[in-house]
């Protein structure tokens, strides 16, 4: 069973702080990694993807990937109340299972004013 | 450009009834997917279709069937609904173009089986 685990929440941070969301995966052959944001009652929407080791920045969001440790994270700088949502980590396994994303259980983030 | 659309948005069924969830995309994507999402859990893949004319089982296919009607449409059928199938169902599509392949989700169908 290929697993994706996210840090248990809920996570609560004050406005303006850095929120750190973590995800580990069990399949060493996994090729690409996605972070989705899901507001309550809505569908998931892509924040960013990463497939090379290191950091990838997009505005206030930074994704970090360490394939040796099988670890991917999402940092949200200058957190805003509008960032309050559930964040889903998804892993693309590659090989014959390419495209069949495995999702973590999600981390609920609350940013309080 | 509507993206991914799903019908119906809400549905209540009695145990044993059947229904079909409809999904359509206008992004000319090759691949389409059906997921279910239960409280406190991420999305779990039910079935997917890598291209028109092909379908394959995902993680939780039991109790479901699918049809890839054409490139645009991918339907999910519950032949005999059970309370365990109460969930939110999402359809998604992607181009399956490589490492950066992104799945785009429809608004979801909230299904309750009594």
């Amino acid at each position: 069973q290929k697993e994706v685990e996210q840090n248990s929440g809920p996570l609560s941070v004050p406005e303006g702080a850095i929120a750190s969301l973590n995800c580990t995966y069990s399949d060493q052959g996994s090729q690409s990694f996605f972070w989705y944001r899901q507001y309550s009652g809505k569908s998931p929407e892509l924040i960013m993807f990463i497939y090379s080791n290191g950091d990838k920045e997009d505005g206030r969001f930074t994704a970090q990937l360490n394939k040796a440790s099988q670890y991917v994270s999402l940092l949200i700088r200058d957190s805003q109340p509008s960032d309050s949502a559930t964040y889903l980590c998804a892993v693309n396994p590659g090989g014959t299972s390419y495209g069949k994303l495995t999702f973590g259980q999600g981390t609920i983030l609350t940013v309080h004013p | 450009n509507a993206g991914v659309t799903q019908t119906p948005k809400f549905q209540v069924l009695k145990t044993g009834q059947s229904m079909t969830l409809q999904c359509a995309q206008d992004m000319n994507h090759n691949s389409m997917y059906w997921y279910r999402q239960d409280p406190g859990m991420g999305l779990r893949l039910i079935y997917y279709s890598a291209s028109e004319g092909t379908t394959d089982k995902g993680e939780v296919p039991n109790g479901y069937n699918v049809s890839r009607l054409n490139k645009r449409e991918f339907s999910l059928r519950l032949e005999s609904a059970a309370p365990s199938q109460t969930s939110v169902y999402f359809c998604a599509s992607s181009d399956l173009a490589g490492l950066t392949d992104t799945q785009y989700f429809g608004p979801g169908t909230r299904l309750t089986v009594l």
Side-chain angles (χ1 to χ4, degrees), chain A residues 56-99:
Chain A
K56 179 182 178 183
E57 188 173 317
D58 184 0
R60 296 186 296 111
F61 298 95
T62 299
Q64 300 174 317
L65 175 62
N66 184 326
K67 289 186 177 180
S69 300
Q70 296 176 228
Y71 176 90
V72 59
S73 66
L74 180 70
L75 300 177
I76 307 174
R77 290 183 302 279
D78 189 24
S79 296
Q80 301 297 309
S82 59
D83 295 325
S84 298
T86 297
Y87 289 79
L88 299 167
C89 171
V91 175
N92 192 341
T96 57
S97 295
Y98 189 80

Side-chain angles (χ1 to χ4, degrees), chain B residues 30-80:
Chain B
N30 290 310
S31 301
M32 298 185 74
Y33 310 82
W34 276 106
Y35 293 91
R36 62 177 288 173
Q37 185 174 36
D38 300 300
M41 301 182 71
L43 291 94
R44 292 184 292 170
L45 184 64
I46 304 171
Y47 270 94
Y48 83 109
S49 172
S51 61
E52 186 178 354
T54 68
T55 61
D56 198 1
K57 295 178 181 179
E59 181 185 352
V60 289
N62 291 342
Y64 305 96
N65 286 301
V66 291
S67 295
R68 184 73 184 267
L69 304 170
N70 47 56
K71 191 172 185 178
R72 290 188 64 248
E73 299 172 289
F74 189 37
S75 63
L76 178 71
R77 182 161 178 84
L78 286 71
E79 291 291 350
S80 179

Side-chain angles (χ1 to χ4, degrees), chain A residues 1 31-32 34 36 38 41-44 46 49 51 88 92 96 98-106, chain B residues 33 35 37 40-43 45 48 56-59 90 96 98-103 105-107 110:
Chain A
Q1 178 73 22
Q31 295 194 0
S32 50
F34 301 80
Y36 283 85
Q38 185 176 27
K42 302 296 185 181
S43 58
L46 181 73
F49 59 81
Y51 54 86
L88 299 167
N92 192 341
T96 57
Y98 189 80
K100 297 169 76 170
L101 295 183
T102 300
F103 283 81
Q105 77 276 24
Chain B
Y33 310 82
Y35 293 91
Q37 185 174 36
M41 301 182 71
L43 291 94
L45 184 64
Y48 83 109
D56 198 1
K57 295 178 181 179
E59 181 185 352
F90 289 102
L96 208 58
L99 287 176
T100 61
D101 179 51
T102 297
Q103 295 188 17
F105 287 83
R110 283 149 182 81

